[in-house]
């Protein structure tokens, strides 16, 4: 059931593109992937975690992995041929993506940048992304998301993830 009070640019975009999706409302905001997954009724592996990385020349890239994995910035740096990369600050995330930390989605980013999807994302037929709001996620067929985003598919996860 659609919550009339929740209408984000991402939801509007999916409706305009006529892409099937399901809104997953959360009764509260959460700070961890595990807590968010519980609130949405999904497994962390079904969630797309989007991590904004910044290099020393202030260039940005969005690395996306399944929620139970961690991003390896050195893999992104190596692929892009950039200098050392670190996670962006909360302020940079909002300024560069247009979304607050915890609500970053690979769709409709404020700034044009490379978007990399780990191939492990494709192991799930359906994934969840942020709606652009801390109060809801969106379930979408993985192939539809990949078609919309047109990311570079590259292994960007740490080999030994620590939860």
């Amino acid at each position: 059931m659609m919550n009339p009070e929740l209408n984000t640019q991402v939801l509007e975009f999916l409706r305009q593109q006529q892409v099937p999706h399901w809104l997953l409302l959360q009764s509260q905001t959460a700070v961890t992937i595990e807590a968010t997954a519980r609130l949405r009724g999904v497994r962390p592996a079904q969630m797309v975690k989007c991590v904004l990385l910044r290099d020393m020349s202030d260039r940005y890239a969005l690395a996306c992995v399944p929620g139970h994995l961690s991003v390896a910035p050195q893999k992104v740096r190596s692929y892009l041929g950039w200098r050392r990369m670190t996670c962006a600050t909360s302020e940079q995330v909002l300024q560069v993506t247009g979304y607050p930390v915890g609500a970053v989605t690979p769709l409709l980013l404020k700034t044009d940048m490379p978007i990399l999807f780990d191939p492990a994302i494709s192991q799930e037929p359906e994934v969840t992304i942020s709606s652009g709001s801390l109060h809801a996620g969106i379930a979408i067929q993985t192939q539809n998301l990949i078609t919309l985003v047109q990311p570079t598919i590259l292994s960007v996860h740490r080999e030994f993830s620590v939860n």
Side-chain angles (χ1 to χ4, degrees), residues 68-153:
H68 68 294
L69 298 177
S70 297
V71 169
Q74 68 276 18
K75 288 184 176 182
V76 177
R77 176 187 57 77
S78 176
Y79 170 74
L80 295 173
W82 292 358
R83 298 190 299 164
R84 188 172 80 87
M85 297 192 85
T86 58
C87 289
T89 65
S90 298
E91 294 81 21
Q92 290 166 336
V93 169
L94 182 59
Q95 177 185 3
V96 171
T97 68
Y99 304 109
V101 169
V104 176
T105 175
L107 295 170
L108 305 177
L109 296 171
K110 185 175 173 183
T111 306
D112 187 37
M113 69 186 78
I115 301 174
L116 299 99
F117 271 30
D118 194 278
I121 289 172
S122 294
Q123 292 176 359
E124 296 287 339
E126 182 179 286
V127 292
T128 67
I129 59 172
S130 177
S131 64
S133 164
L134 293 170
H135 301 284
I138 297 170
I140 185 172
Q141 294 294 312
T142 306
Q143 193 51 56
N144 286 342
L145 179 63
I146 290 170
T147 298
L148 288 170
V149 176
Q150 294 292 301
T152 297
I153 306 293

